[in-house]
């Protein structure tokens, strides 16, 4: 069975949501540190980079996943829990 582009995007979006959900508790554990620093800790930036969540809306031509605003909002909602 051929996989459509829409199903690939949906599968990738679901994977991004899982990654964001897994990262939320880590962000929560660093909340006090972030408040003290008044910025995101370097470890958090590294984790976001490693998770590839920052590539969600980046164009394909530049190595991103070119997902829609709805996926970005879903990722942000999950990260915000942390």
């Amino acid at each position: 069975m051929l996989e459509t582009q829409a199903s690939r995007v949906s599968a990738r979006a679901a994977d991004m949501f899982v990654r964001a959900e897994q990262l939320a508790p880590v962000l929560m554990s660093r909340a006090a540190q972030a408040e003290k620093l008044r910025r995101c800790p370097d470890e958090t930036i590294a984790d976001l980079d490693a998770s590839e969540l920052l590539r969600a809306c980046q164009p394909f031509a530049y190595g991103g996943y070119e997902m829609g605003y709805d996926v970005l909002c879903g990722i942000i909602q999950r990260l915000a829990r942390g």
Side-chain angles (χ1 to χ4, degrees):
M1 178 180 208
L2 291 176
E3 187 178 31
T4 65
Q5 182 178 5
S7 66
R8 281 194 308 271
V9 169
S10 295
R12 182 162 288 146
D15 179 54
M16 298 291 263
F17 292 159
V18 168
R19 291 181 202 184
E21 288 168 358
Q22 291 172 340
L23 192 53
V26 176
L27 300 180
M28 189 177 298
S29 72
R30 294 187 188 137
Q33 181 185 10
E35 288 292 325
K36 183 178 178 183
L37 292 172
R38 299 185 65 167
R39 64 176 178 83
C40 284
D42 293 338
E43 299 86 1
T44 297
I45 300 300
D47 287 342
L48 287 167
D49 188 40
S51 70
E52 298 187 341
L53 294 173
L54 300 176
R55 294 176 157 203
C57 293
Q58 186 176 356
F60 288 127
Y62 298 101
Y65 299 121
E66 205 167 302
M67 296 178 165
Y69 186 68
D70 57 330
V71 175
L72 177 63
C73 288
I75 291 169
I76 291 168
Q77 288 171 342
R78 286 160 176 83
L79 290 174
R81 293 180 187 139

